[in-house]
Amino acid sequence: MKTFLIAAVVASITTGAAQAGSHNPAIKDPKVGETSVAAKGANSFTESQAKGRIEKAGYTNVSKLVKNPNGVWQGSATKDGQNVLIGLDYRGNVITR
């Protein structure tokens, strides 16, 4: 009985820790990259950090970045010769329109 109880407690703790880690928006999900939907939330990126993240995603001529009320940095950029409207949410997702 003790062994079962100890195993249940350990399983509960490790499951809780895994769930906490998977729901932490401060940790960048490796699957996150370019998306069409911005996550709303308090964005702690500075303008230059946002520009750097967008450029790292392959965009050039990143300009006119302004943080909107939903915490998304928005502006314009160029990728593959096309001018696009661009955004960066608090998770680091790059959004194009």
Side-chain angles (χ1 to χ4, degrees):
M1 182 69 171
K2 273 187 179 179
T3 304
F4 176 76
L5 182 58
I6 292 170
V9 169
V10 169
S12 174
I13 291 170
T14 56
T15 301
Q19 288 176 346
S22 67
H23 295 293
N24 185 346
I27 298 173
K28 183 155 175 48
D29 183 343
K31 298 176 190 169
V32 173
E34 293 186 48
T35 183
S36 60
V37 180
K40 296 177 184 177
N43 194 322
S44 62
F45 291 114
T46 65
E47 183 177 353
S48 77
Q49 289 171 328
K51 182 178 180 182
R53 288 257 183 167
I54 294 167
E55 289 172 340
K56 187 175 179 181
Y59 294 87
T60 59
N61 302 320
V62 178
S63 62
K64 302 178 184 174
L65 288 176
V66 177
K67 195 184 319 181
N68 75 15
N70 292 325
V72 178
W73 282 100
Q74 294 180 310
S76 61
T78 304
K79 187 169 186 177
D80 300 326
Q82 300 289 320
N83 292 326
V84 294
L85 296 177
I86 196 84
L88 182 83
D89 67 14
Y90 79 97
R91 292 182 176 170
N93 295 317
V94 177
I95 300 97
T96 57
R97 289 189 285 159

